[in-house]
Amino acid sequence: MTGDLAARWVRTVVPSWLYRWLMPVVWLAAVVASLLPDLGRCSAEDPTVCGPDPLTALVITLLLSSVVLLWWHPLVAAAAGVLFMIGELLYDDIRSTQIAWAVYGVACAALLLRMVTSRRNQRSIAASAPRHHVQVPPAARIGVTSRLLVAGALVLIGAVAVGWMNRQDQREDEHVRRSVEQTAVVKSHTDDGELVLQLPDGRTHTVSPLDDYDDGAQLPVRVDPQDGSWLRLRAEPADNTHWLGVASGVWLLALLFLLRDLRLRRAHPRRAWRGPALPVRIEPDASSAFAVSSADGRVLLGFLDAALDDEESESRLFDAVDALGEEADQAPAKLKREWEETLHRYRGDALLVGDLAEGSWPTIVFGDQILRPLSPFRAPRRLPWRAERVVGLPEDFEPDEDVPATRSVEAAREVPRLPWEVPLRARPQWALPALIAVVVVVPVAVGTFAVWGDWFAAILATGVGAQLVQTFGSRAFYRVMASATDLWIRTGWSERRVPWRSVDAVEIEEDGLSLEAGEDWHVVGGIPEQQLPEVAAVFETLRLRSRTGLPDQTVGRRLSPVLLINAALVAVCVLILVLARWSPF
């Protein structure tokens, strides 16, 4: 596809900010507008006003789907918005609410129409480009995918929700059949907005009403003579239909996962096939997808998450994507060079076989490699002031020139007395005091929040405290010890044991040492720059001395003091929460 044709194709794309940002704002405005008018009061004469309404539970699923799915399935979200508008116009008699959701429904209809038209135009433009048919070999068999497992779990959750709703309804019907009607008086309101009702026999009940009631108001209620704990306001029958809404929501998600899995299997046929191929240019992106551009590389068309047929090559490519992220700054130079060379191999001219449109599942032929889609093709996401760009290797990237060569390491003539604690930069003076402060303050804060009844804040304080212990403890207890047989590196929650027999090379990096052990790399940081050559020489000597012809040993781990402190802190906080819950003081 030429640059001019690709530019025409890009102009047909619906800007993603319309449905990812603008439509949720319109949805929120419609919600606010529908809450402003008086929705009426619960009535003892007509209990259906605040009673169970299965249709409303199903319609609420459409309401939530019309905004939740905008980032994942915008077409489905727009269709749900249109259906909700129809239901709102048919069953709601509040004028302002009808107008608010009519505006949102019309916006959804316009979005749906524009997206369908856009994809049809994209296919038409791509079909007008010169193409030739190519043969695509059969794909490997697809087993049980994570999508199928998630869909199955969601179906089960929905079935459990419906079963629980039916069970609750049966229990409620039994109480209603045995109940008698009485008149209760509103004695007071609790701080949580609950009502304290007094029955004619002097007993009191606390209930959570939907409507507002004044103190002293007389309310018709139903009580069960055989169960003194059961009481219902006649104007507010028990409503368990929200479980039906939960079930319909998770079943809708299960259906979408199932349809996505079926589409994946259609894109991976078990037989060879021929299809029209479009010349494009591809390169790996930091998102783990392949960026697809016009044949001249001038116009970015979109991104396709695809996998290679060769599992070993796919694994290397998947690991190499780390070179485009923040992990690359901490990776050894040799490993980074290997990553970038791998990425560079998958950048160049390719053939896109199949439809080129948003939501399509094309296959890419790159030399003798086949890239099969794992998810639909998507156009670059856009905001009014900028568009998504490719995060990949520089255009003029040259692996041998861009990656600095590692400094050679010579063995030391003398080795310090073993075991030897490797000299490190001075630890931050605040790390240990900060760790002690966290261990002391967090249990006190958790206990205080628990006594106040603020359980969310208490649980949040426990989680934040555990994270702070890990952060401060990693700095306070960081240590590297070398013995004649192993190197011990204490970081975070564990202490790594790297046997010298498994180390293939020691290399000096800009800010530390890297040890190559088979396909793994172990980075030792925190060593003063002027002492890097001396420490590297000692490591090299110990590595060479361990070469006795014995089999390599695997890397081992043991618990670090940081993990023990963290576990003790969490245990104390949990004990405080349990005591506060069951034995308030």
Side-chain angles (χ1 to χ4, degrees):
M1 177 178 277
T2 63
D4 294 339
L5 204 59
R8 282 181 54 200
W9 189 97
V10 169
R11 285 196 293 270
T12 66
V13 174
V14 177
S16 60
W17 59 267
L18 282 177
Y19 53 85
R20 291 171 69 90
W21 299 106
L22 181 60
M23 291 299 290
V25 172
V26 178
W27 182 90
L28 185 60
V31 170
V32 173
S34 62
L35 294 177
L36 291 178
D38 185 8
L39 301 180
R41 297 182 61 85
C42 300
S43 170
E45 289 73 23
D46 185 10
T48 58
V49 174
C50 294
D53 189 353
L55 181 60
T56 298
L58 296 176
V59 170
I60 290 297
T61 301
L62 293 176
L63 170 65
L64 296 177
S65 300
S66 68
V67 65
V68 172
L69 296 178
L70 282 171
W71 282 51
W72 182 36
H73 272 292
L75 282 174
V76 176
V82 173
L83 292 177
F84 179 77
M85 175 192 68
I86 295 173
E88 182 69 23
L89 294 177
L90 290 176
Y91 297 105
D92 200 336
D93 55 358
I94 301 178
R95 189 65 176 171
S96 59
T97 303
Q98 288 181 332
I99 294 174
W101 289 113
V103 171
Y104 182 71
V106 170
C108 286
L111 175 65
L112 184 63
L113 179 62
R114 184 172 178 185
M115 293 187 76
V116 171
T117 305
S118 167
R119 297 184 181 192
R120 186 171 60 229
N121 292 339
Q122 290 167 7
R123 290 185 173 89
S124 175
I125 293 173
S128 66
R131 290 189 174 200
H132 62 278
H133 284 70
V134 298
Q135 183 85 5
V136 180
R141 178 180 176 274
I142 298 177
V144 178
T145 63
S146 59
R147 291 190 181 101
L148 280 181
L149 294 176
V150 171
L154 291 173
V155 170
L156 264 170
I157 292 173
V160 170
V162 171
W164 180 253
M165 180 189 71
N166 291 333
R167 172 60 180 159
Q168 294 292 93
D169 287 342
Q170 290 174 3
R171 294 177 59 185
E172 190 68 18
D173 290 342
E174 292 175 2
H175 285 296
V176 171
R177 281 196 301 269
R178 298 195 303 258
S179 66
V180 294
E181 186 170 330
Q182 297 182 1
T183 300
V185 178
V186 179
K187 289 280 291 182
S188 61
H189 290 72
T190 67
D191 294 338
D192 297 328
E194 297 179 327
L195 294 183
V196 179
L197 302 178
Q198 185 175 29
L199 298 176
D201 59 5
R203 291 184 297 126
T204 60
H205 274 270
T206 302
V207 297
S208 300
L210 298 175
D211 212 339
D212 295 328
Y213 301 96
D214 298 329
D215 290 349
Q218 295 185 352
L219 305 178
V221 297
R222 302 194 72 89
V223 295
D224 186 350
Q226 299 180 23
D227 186 353
S229 64
W230 188 88
L231 179 144
R232 292 288 183 269
L233 298 177
R234 184 175 174 181
E236 300 182 13
D239 185 3
N240 299 310
T241 55
H242 55 273
W243 291 110
L244 182 61
V246 172
S248 60
V250 297
W251 282 340
L252 175 60
L253 286 178
L255 177 62
L256 294 178
F257 276 114
L258 179 61
L259 293 177
R260 178 65 64 91
D261 187 80
L262 293 176
R263 192 63 187 86
L264 172 70
R265 295 173 189 276
R266 285 184 56 193
H268 292 234
R270 299 289 306 282
R271 54 178 176 75
W273 58 286
R274 291 179 62 83
L278 189 68
V280 294
R281 184 173 179 81
I282 66 169
E283 70 171 298
D285 182 71
S287 63
S288 297
F290 283 87
V292 180
S293 305
S294 58
D296 55 11
R298 290 192 297 122
V299 180
L300 175 63
L301 296 170
F303 298 87
L304 181 67
D305 188 7
L308 295 163
D309 277 350
D310 183 8
E311 292 184 3
E312 184 177 350
S313 300
E314 169 64 21
S315 178
R316 286 199 299 267
L317 179 59
F318 180 80
D319 293 337
V321 173
D322 288 341
L324 303 176
E326 297 178 356
E327 296 86 352
D329 297 333
Q330 303 174 355
K334 183 177 179 181
L335 179 60
K336 184 178 179 181
R337 181 164 61 250
E338 292 176 358
W339 285 347
E340 292 174 336
E341 289 174 351
T342 299
L343 295 175
H344 191 260
R345 270 197 300 272
Y346 291 95
R347 182 168 72 178
D349 297 331
L351 295 174
L352 187 143
V353 187
D355 287 336
L356 177 60
E358 291 181 277
S360 64
W361 294 68
T363 298
I364 294 178
V365 179
F366 183 71
D368 59 349
Q369 297 273 17
I370 304 297
L371 296 166
R372 301 187 190 270
L374 299 177
S375 60
F377 180 84
R378 67 171 181 85
R381 298 190 176 106
R382 296 179 181 274
L383 291 171
W385 55 88
R386 68 178 178 87
E388 184 179 9
R389 299 182 181 274
V390 181
V391 180
L393 297 176
E395 285 295 329
D396 56 350
F397 170 76
E398 293 295 339
D400 294 333
E401 296 179 6
D402 283 13
V403 179
T406 56
R407 293 150 62 180
S408 59
V409 176
E410 296 182 0
R413 295 183 179 181
E414 296 182 0
V415 174
R417 185 177 178 180
L418 301 176
W420 176 53
E421 183 171 357
V422 176
L424 301 173
R425 299 190 192 100
R427 297 183 180 91
Q429 296 182 355
W430 51 264
L432 189 57
L435 176 63
I436 296 173
V438 169
V439 172
V440 173
V441 172
V442 168
V444 176
V446 170
T448 303
F449 287 131
V451 170
W452 290 347
D454 196 341
W455 298 102
F456 176 78
I459 295 173
L460 182 62
T462 302
V464 171
Q467 181 60 44
L468 291 177
V469 166
Q470 199 272 342
T471 302
F472 298 147
S474 299
R475 289 169 170 80
F477 291 99
Y478 179 60
R479 188 181 70 172
V480 181
M481 292 288 294
S483 68
T485 57
D486 307 299
L487 177 69
W488 289 91
I489 308 172
R490 181 190 291 167
T491 56
W493 286 350
S494 64
E495 198 166 355
R496 247 177 312 157
R497 179 182 65 86
V498 183
W500 291 117
R501 287 207 308 244
S502 67
V503 178
D504 300 321
V506 178
E507 297 184 358
I508 301 177
E509 308 287 346
E510 293 182 3
D511 54 354
L513 301 178
S514 61
L515 281 62
E516 181 181 2
E519 296 183 356
D520 297 327
W521 290 83
H522 305 278
V523 179
V524 182
I527 303 173
E529 186 176 357
Q530 63 274 15
Q531 293 184 285
L532 279 175
E534 175 189 343
V535 176
V538 173
F539 283 8
E540 180 68 11
T541 300
L542 296 175
R543 183 187 74 84
L544 294 175
R545 287 182 181 179
S546 68
R547 293 298 176 180
T548 58
L550 296 175
D552 291 346
Q553 293 179 304
T554 58
V555 174
R557 293 179 184 272
R558 67 184 181 190
L559 299 183
S560 144
V562 179
L563 179 58
L564 300 178
I565 296 173
N566 221 328
L569 176 68
V570 173
V572 170
C573 292
V574 170
L575 180 61
I576 292 173
L577 291 174
V578 171
L579 292 176
R581 176 64 180 86
W582 300 109
S583 301
F585 48 87

